[in-house]
Amino acid sequence: MTQKDVFKKLVAHCKEYGFVFPSSEIYDGLGAVYDYGQNGVELKNNIKRYWWDSMTMLHENVVGIDAAIFMHPTTWKASGHVDAFNDPLIDNRDSKKRYRADVLIEDLMAKYDEKIEKEVQKAAKRFGASFDEAMFRQTNPRVLEHQAKRDEIHARYAKAMNENDLPGLKAIIMDYDVVDPISGTKNWTDVRQFNLMFSTEMGSTADGAMKIYLRPETAQGIFVNYLNVQKTGRMKIPFGIAQIGKAFRNEIVARQFIFRMREFEQMEMQFFVRPGDEMKWFAYWKEHRLAWHKALGLGDNKYRFHDHDKLAHYANAATDIEFEMPFGFKEVEGIHSRTDFDLSSHEKYSGKNIKYFDPELNQSYTPYVIETSIGVDRMFLSIMSAAYCEEQLEGGDSRVVLKLPPVLAPVKAAILPLVKKDGLPEKAREIMDALKFDFRCVYDEKDSIGKRYRRQDAVGTPFCVTVDHDTLTDNCVTIRHRDTMQQERVSIDSLHDLIDREVNMKNLFRKIMD
Ligand code: GAP
């Protein structure tokens, strides 16, 4: 099965098991907008809680806020979004389709990467155990030729993006014969900029209405509240402000399911530091955030850093944490050193003094900022991609299982009476009533026990607790572990601690801080 097939199956699974639905589906959906179902919302809430608690409980100097989505329009002038939050677009005159020029070029580079990987795989098969991959990559003429082409494109691309050179982007597309995937032609228009912010109007009369924007990032809600929090919280530099909330972008190339949406959710933290200390804190948050990801146990080899060639208008360093999705390594989180750009700009546009008096240095300055910014939906997708598993079982049977980190699983335990009679449902309800104050549990008495196990596997429930006739006399139940399918007989009194050991978030928090 190809990775493309796996991804298709994952999308179908998300719908079938109540994780993610297309928005307003009864009206045929709305492009790149999705709703989370009964299991999806639990997983999403658990991701948010993992992030929120790790930020605000493990760091004494990080506090949270919840700012409004609507903000004064000058905010977006000050932040640079009105003038510079653009995508370079290009149209094909034959298919009448619109594309992002940068995406077309990135896809072109990915084609060269694929060609190189194919050569390597072919050679690995041919040479078997004696294959020296590093040597092959350094010396094989075809690999070197593809690599040289890729490097050449990359250098031209980085230069054009950094210099905002739109004809330069078009020239790459023409020079390397990039054709429209639908029409197959090179009949391209010029590249032009398109602003990604959604706008609406606030106010009741046409004359008095004010054009406002749906925020394209949550970060600005933190910057405009910097003074409020610093003063009312008596915060001393360095300190951070965290926020989780919706953001909106009119993405042109919205694809890959919930990877690129028009309405999505961000978890952002702005960490305010002394000017000159920013690189030290940038390094700290880079490592700390990677540790947060890795603690989930999805596989350390699934993450990598990608340092930016093109820095955003506000940044003096930036890196992405990328995760290996079924469609390749993709950005899940950005860590940016934003200098004093935002606070200085808000100071200029608002006329308010946003300086910090540092009692240790006996001087005032505008703090520098390190930002960590992660998309909830992308995090959700990375977890689901890593968790989705089709397994062949002994006896020709098979199962689909979501090997979700137990801490994040929507349901922690399913309580299953073996039969619907003989007092077993009552006993199962008793167990459920004792556990439900600490863990999200479900009760299920329908169908055979095997079918019920499969249903729980498909939504990632780490424990199934079966109540049988012996339970009534020995006060023990059978607990089945999702990943190994192993079963053990345990006393009802030990159930709470057994489940808690696996699903308590503090275990992950300890791993991060080790
Ligand atoms: N405040 C900085 C900022 O917004 P960004 O790199 O544009 O930086 C941060 O976005 C994160 O938000 C990304 O790493 C990604 O996880 C998520 N994100 C951005 N655009 C998205 C979209 N259209 N759909 C889903 N997630 C998105």
Side-chain angles (χ1 to χ4, degrees):
M1 202 168 28
T2 64
Q3 287 299 295
K4 215 170 166 184
D5 294 333
V6 173
F7 189 54
K8 263 194 196 154
K9 286 194 174 189
L10 175 65
V11 174
H13 190 88
C14 280
K15 187 173 162 204
E16 190 180 344
Y17 286 93
F19 282 91
V20 183
F21 307 126
S23 157
S24 23
E25 198 186 3
I26 56 169
Y27 296 105
D28 295 334
L30 183 66
V33 185
Y34 290 91
D35 298 338
Y36 286 84
Q38 67 279 13
N39 285 315
V41 70
E42 296 300 341
L43 173 56
K44 202 173 177 216
N45 283 343
N46 290 340
I47 294 171
K48 290 195 273 188
R49 193 160 72 78
Y50 178 41
W51 184 88
W52 184 262
D53 286 356
S54 71
M55 278 293 174
T56 61
M57 286 165 65
L58 301 189
H59 302 279
E60 286 172 39
N61 56 354
V62 177
V63 293
I65 62 163
D66 183 17
I69 287 172
F70 292 150
M71 301 181 71
H72 193 284
T74 309
T75 307
W76 306 110
K77 194 76 194 147
S79 68
H81 284 82
V82 171
D83 297 320
F85 194 53
N86 301 318
D87 271 348
L89 295 191
I90 190 164
D91 289 8
N92 183 275
R93 293 194 188 90
D94 298 324
S95 69
K96 310 265 182 282
K97 289 279 174 204
R98 179 164 291 176
Y99 300 91
R100 269 176 58 180
D102 55 333
V103 171
L104 288 178
I105 297 169
E106 276 168 17
D107 287 349
L108 172 69
M109 292 192 289
K111 276 194 189 131
Y112 282 100
D113 289 337
E114 272 169 34
K115 284 182 186 175
I116 293 171
E117 289 318 307
K118 267 198 190 133
E119 293 291 346
V120 173
Q121 277 168 19
K122 254 184 357 203
K125 251 196 199 149
R126 207 168 51 237
F127 295 115
S130 63
F131 182 54
D132 182 343
E133 185 179 326
M135 178 64 86
F136 182 80
R137 284 180 187 273
Q138 281 164 22
T139 55
N140 179 270
R142 273 191 302 277
V143 168
L144 292 178
E145 196 185 314
H146 294 321
Q147 189 62 49
K149 272 262 162 58
R150 194 212 184 275
D151 292 347
E152 186 184 293
I153 300 167
H154 184 257
R156 285 179 65 178
Y157 172 57
K159 184 165 181 294
M161 289 295 276
N162 272 325
E163 293 172 2
N164 206 9
D165 172 12
L166 303 183
L169 289 177
K170 178 165 180 191
I172 300 173
I173 290 171
M174 298 307 283
D175 293 350
Y176 290 91
D177 295 323
V178 176
V179 294
D180 174 71
I182 295 168
S183 67
T185 70
K186 268 173 60 177
N187 194 3
W188 296 111
T189 61
D190 286 341
V191 178
R192 67 200 182 292
Q193 296 289 20
F194 172 85
N195 193 286
L196 296 182
M197 282 196 293
F198 283 102
S199 64
T200 184
E201 290 188 342
M202 183 178 263
S204 54
T205 63
D207 286 349
M210 175 164 66
K211 181 176 177 183
I212 58 168
Y213 297 98
L214 298 188
R215 64 183 179 196
E217 62 171 13
T218 58
Q220 297 304 323
I222 295 179
F223 290 123
V224 299
N225 277 295
Y226 160 79
L227 267 187
N228 286 336
V229 175
Q230 191 271 318
K231 291 212 151 61
T232 59
R234 292 178 296 120
M235 307 302 288
K236 302 251 175 307
I237 293 246
F239 74 92
I241 305 178
Q243 179 172 215
I244 299 179
K246 290 273 185 160
F248 305 84
R249 297 182 189 176
N250 196 1
E251 299 281 2
I252 297 307
V253 183
R255 58 180 182 183
Q256 281 145 347
F257 192 38
I258 54 172
F259 182 79
R260 197 177 298 285
M261 301 156 87
R262 296 201 165 100
E263 173 180 340
F264 58 100
E265 209 162 358
Q266 290 185 314
M267 307 188 280
E268 298 200 296
M269 196 274 306
Q270 312 295 323
F271 197 71
F272 301 92
V273 304
R274 276 183 191 159
D277 278 358
E278 71 270 21
M279 286 309 155
K280 178 180 90 185
W281 286 110
F282 179 67
Y284 169 84
W285 282 107
K286 238 176 110 166
E287 290 312 316
H288 186 75
R289 291 303 305 147
L290 187 63
W292 181 89
H293 285 275
K294 286 185 172 175
L296 286 171
L298 302 178
D300 289 3
N301 57 344
K302 286 193 170 288
Y303 301 92
R304 71 180 188 196
F305 285 121
H306 169 245
D307 296 330
H308 286 207
D309 288 322
K310 179 186 178 346
L311 292 174
H313 57 277
Y314 49 74
N316 66 0
T319 196
D320 296 334
I321 295 177
E322 294 186 337
F323 186 83
E324 192 176 15
M325 305 271 190
F327 41 90
F329 273 94
K330 296 287 168 193
E331 172 192 346
V332 171
E333 171 157 8
I335 297 148
H336 312 125
S337 172
R338 291 182 76 124
T339 67
D340 61 351
F341 172 83
D342 301 271
L343 289 184
S344 294
S345 193
H346 286 304
E347 186 163 46
K348 190 171 117 203
Y349 276 85
S350 67
K352 303 276 184 325
N353 176 7
I354 311 188
K355 302 248 178 330
Y356 172 79
F357 178 74
D358 192 326
E360 281 175 34
L361 298 181
N362 199 24
Q363 76 181 58
S364 292
Y365 53 78
T366 306
Y368 271 43
V369 172
I370 305 301
E371 165 183 76
T372 71
S373 173
I374 171 169
V376 181
D377 313 271
R378 282 198 194 170
M379 187 65 196
F380 185 107
L381 183 57
S382 63
I383 290 164
M384 288 295 272
S385 310
Y388 182 85
C389 212
E390 290 180 14
E391 283 182 352
Q392 289 303 320
L393 306 175
E394 279 169 26
D397 207 0
S398 68
R399 68 166 183 161
V400 173
V401 53
L402 285 186
K403 294 187 174 175
L404 294 170
V407 171
L408 301 182
V411 175
K412 307 304 187 201
I415 318 296
L416 316 172
L418 192 59
V419 291
K420 266 194 271 184
K421 55 183 185 183
D422 304 336
L424 301 193
E426 290 75 10
K427 188 70 187 169
R429 288 267 177 217
E430 216 178 87
I431 295 171
M432 170 106 179
D433 284 344
L435 292 178
K436 72 183 181 193
F437 293 97
D438 294 309
F439 313 111
R440 184 170 301 282
C441 301
V442 294
Y443 173 88
D444 189 4
E445 59 178 24
K446 202 162 170 285
D447 297 322
S448 70
I449 197 74
K451 274 196 181 154
R452 283 181 271 170
Y453 283 161
R454 292 290 172 274
R455 272 205 290 275
Q456 295 306 322
D457 287 344
V459 298
T461 305
F463 300 107
C464 286
V465 176
T466 305
V467 176
D468 57 25
H469 290 94
D470 290 342
T471 306
L472 302 179
T473 49
D474 66 4
N475 213 36
C476 288
V477 286
T478 303
I479 189 159
R480 173 195 181 260
H481 299 261
R482 177 196 66 198
D483 296 352
T484 59
M485 295 192 292
Q486 276 181 352
Q487 303 188 6
E488 55 178 323
R489 193 85 185 153
V490 300
S491 91
I492 292 174
D493 299 337
S494 67
L495 267 183
H496 177 280
D497 289 357
L498 201 153
I499 298 170
D500 190 64
R501 262 201 303 279
E502 293 295 318
V503 307
N504 198 317
M505 250 180 220
K506 72 181 171 210
N507 298 328
L508 295 195
F509 294 153
R510 289 216 175 90
K511 264 199 217 167
I512 304 172
M513 300 312 272
D514 267 356

